[in-house]
Amino acid sequence: MPGPLTGIRVVDFSRVLAGPHCAQTLQDLGAEVIKVEPPSGDMSRKALPSDGEISGYYAQQNAGKRNLSIDLNVPGAQEPVLRLCDTADVIVENFRPGTLESFGIGYEAVAARNPGVVYASISGYGQHGSWRARAAYAPTVQAETGITAITAAQFNTADGRMRSDSLSHADVYSGLHAAIAVLAALHHRDRTGEGQYIDVAMAAVMLAINERVHADLSEIGLGAEPPILGATDCAFFTGPGGETFVSPMSLVSTMSFTFYMAAMHRPDLVDDPRFCTAQDRKQNLAALHAVVQEWILTFDDMASLDAQFDEAKIPTGRVRTTENLVAGEWAEQWMATRVVPDRSGGEITLPGFPWHFSSKTTEVEAEERDTSQAPVDWRIPAFQGEHNEDVLRELGYPDDEITALRRSGALVRPGLENYADVSTEGA
């Protein structure tokens, strides 16, 4: 796929989400990605829902990556991997600290052979310190960094049960921040010729993306005022046509309350004793919400209401399902989804690109972003070990050495009967 990172090779040792999302982002920007999987495979291959051998979860983070499946516990398996790393511009991994070092493919070993390599390690709490060895998943990192407590305090569920977010923010944000760091390191290499090691801690990422950290750590008393511009105190309403929508503008906040008064042309509400102060509005929130809701229902449709809200600088967003969004005109205009084969005769719908580039030398042409005409290698999620022989041949391995690696059990190709015994040509 043409893109601004065309010519960059990424070797992806990662699994599940944070690392794969980093490598997938680099691939979407044009890099070539070779994914290295252990014999057990990436556990996301078995994620549900799935109608075929390749899950949608796996495809969303790995479609288009070539796949080398190799058992690093087998003697002689490390050398082909090191040779692959010799050809890499970027290496991405998200094992516990020290894992790849134990196989002789940590940063120091790789950089000794390939000093220009950019090597990114993603872990829960970083490569050093007393928490370095802790296992890390998005829900645990989000709990440790205050995100879960913020969510619990915001929703204050009636049954008192703690709940984690349904999305793996710590993984996805860490993958994106790792990709940002990789791009910066590649720029540094272009200027200096030096590669470098990047240590990404998911916990640090969650602090970095939490826009209310300054408020949580502040000793300033806010009283009833929301700490951020209404973001934790969004107002939900029912539109004229029965649609549910949200405004990020708090009804309690003194600043945003004035926007509602302007939209409604109700300056008299300032003097209503129920709504004079933030504390008053908080105590009488149900009554205030009812006043605004009643006004909303005086409009004929959502379009006319949106126009009035927009004039008063109040944004709105309808509560939609993902299916609702992608069926609409915006998604079609943006080309917000793409379809890839599931390798079992069906298809999997995945997100499209979150960016469009003006230059056609760095942007996939419109007809290529039409998935019916997209490059085959970009569209297809790989079976485990599908490109074993191709990758090794590109590294200069003759067929007899490839056969020896396969028969030793170093090369793995699940689902292919008697793989260790078949000829290279038939693999």
Side-chain angles (χ1 to χ4, degrees):
M1 182 189 93
L5 292 185
T6 296
I8 295 295
R9 169 173 280 188
V10 179
V11 176
D12 178 15
F13 288 98
S14 64
R15 71 271 193 249
V16 186
L17 188 50
H21 192 67
C22 171
Q24 185 70 40
T25 300
L26 299 173
Q27 178 178 266
D28 287 346
L29 288 167
E32 174 203 11
V33 180
I34 298 175
K35 184 180 178 77
V36 180
E37 281 190 64
S40 58
D42 187 325
M43 66 182 293
S44 69
R45 285 184 177 275
K46 301 178 178 64
L48 297 176
S50 178
D51 288 330
E53 295 182 51
I54 297 177
S55 72
Y57 193 113
Y58 180 86
Q60 184 166 335
Q61 305 302 330
N62 297 284
K65 299 177 183 178
R66 293 200 291 164
N67 193 279
L68 171 68
S69 186
I70 193 163
D71 188 347
L72 291 171
N73 292 294
V74 175
Q78 292 87 358
E79 182 56 29
V81 173
L82 282 169
R83 283 201 206 177
L84 178 61
C85 292
D86 291 344
T87 71
D89 297 285
V90 178
I91 291 172
V92 177
E93 65 95 5
N94 65 343
F95 291 96
R96 287 201 206 190
T99 299
L100 290 187
E101 284 86 346
S102 69
F103 289 107
I105 50 177
Y107 172 68
E108 296 297 337
V110 172
R113 302 166 54 126
N114 180 5
V117 74
V118 173
Y119 195 119
S121 293
I122 306 170
S123 62
Y125 304 99
Q127 300 295 307
H128 306 283
S130 59
W131 282 14
R132 71 183 293 268
R134 294 185 65 186
Y137 289 81
T140 61
V141 174
Q142 287 163 204
E144 292 279 14
T145 54
I147 302 301
T148 301
I150 291 170
T151 302
Q154 179 181 350
F155 293 107
N156 191 22
T157 53
D159 59 11
R161 289 178 56 205
M162 295 290 288
R163 289 176 172 83
S164 188
D165 198 291
S166 61
L167 299 177
S168 299
H169 299 293
D171 280 316
V172 173
Y173 281 125
S174 295
L176 291 175
H177 274 267
I180 292 168
V182 164
L183 295 176
L186 287 173
H187 178 66
H188 172 81
R189 188 184 71 174
D190 287 345
R191 292 188 299 107
T192 67
E194 298 174 346
Q196 58 186 306
Y197 182 70
I198 301 169
D199 180 4
V200 179
M202 295 167 67
V205 168
M206 293 313 291
L207 287 177
I209 61 90
N210 179 357
E211 76 273 19
R212 57 172 289 165
V213 164
H214 69 281
D216 293 338
L217 301 181
S218 172
E219 297 181 358
I220 300 173
L222 295 176
E225 294 282 1
I228 308 298
L229 302 175
T232 60
D233 196 19
C234 295
F236 287 83
F237 300 103
T238 300
E243 53 277 279
T244 301
F245 70 93
V246 64
S247 167
M249 310 293 278
S250 169
L251 289 169
V252 173
S253 167
T254 298
M255 182 179 70
S256 56
F257 177 58
T258 60
F259 287 84
Y260 284 102
M261 290 190 298
M264 298 168 64
H265 302 298
R266 290 288 306 274
D268 58 293
L269 292 177
V270 173
D271 299 320
D272 191 312
R274 297 172 298 171
F275 311 138
C276 289
T277 67
Q279 185 63 44
D280 294 331
R281 291 188 292 275
K282 186 173 183 178
Q283 290 177 347
N284 297 286
L285 184 57
L288 177 56
H289 187 279
V291 170
V292 180
Q293 179 64 75
E294 182 179 359
W295 170 77
I296 286 170
L297 295 178
T298 64
F299 287 80
D300 293 330
D301 51 45
M302 196 69 194
S304 56
L305 174 64
D306 274 340
Q308 185 74 10
F309 266 141
D310 189 58
E311 183 179 332
K313 311 301 183 186
I314 299 177
T316 64
R318 300 190 198 184
V319 178
R320 306 175 189 266
T321 64
T322 306
E323 294 88 344
N324 292 154
L325 176 66
V326 301
E329 63 178 3
W330 172 82
E332 180 180 0
Q333 293 163 353
W334 182 265
M335 289 176 277
T337 60
R338 51 182 165 142
V339 177
V340 303
D342 66 4
R343 308 301 298 278
S344 299
E347 295 180 328
I348 303 172
T349 301
L350 304 178
F353 298 116
W355 49 68
H356 291 170
F357 291 92
S358 61
S359 171
K360 294 306 179 183
T361 61
T362 58
E363 164 71 336
V364 182
E365 299 286 353
E367 61 269 18
E368 290 181 322
R369 282 190 275 116
D370 176 350
T371 56
S372 66
Q373 300 183 41
V376 172
D377 60 346
W378 168 63
R379 297 181 63 211
I380 295 180
F383 291 119
Q384 185 176 343
E386 181 171 352
H387 303 103
N388 285 350
E389 283 72 25
D390 291 342
V391 171
L392 292 185
R393 286 193 185 104
E394 290 172 11
L395 294 175
Y397 278 84
D399 285 353
D400 60 337
E401 292 187 29
I402 295 174
T403 299
L405 285 166
R406 190 176 61 246
R407 288 176 175 167
S408 72
L411 293 181
V412 180
R413 185 96 177 259
L416 189 64
E417 292 184 12
N418 303 316
Y419 177 61
D421 297 324
V422 296
S423 69
T424 334
E425 291 73 22

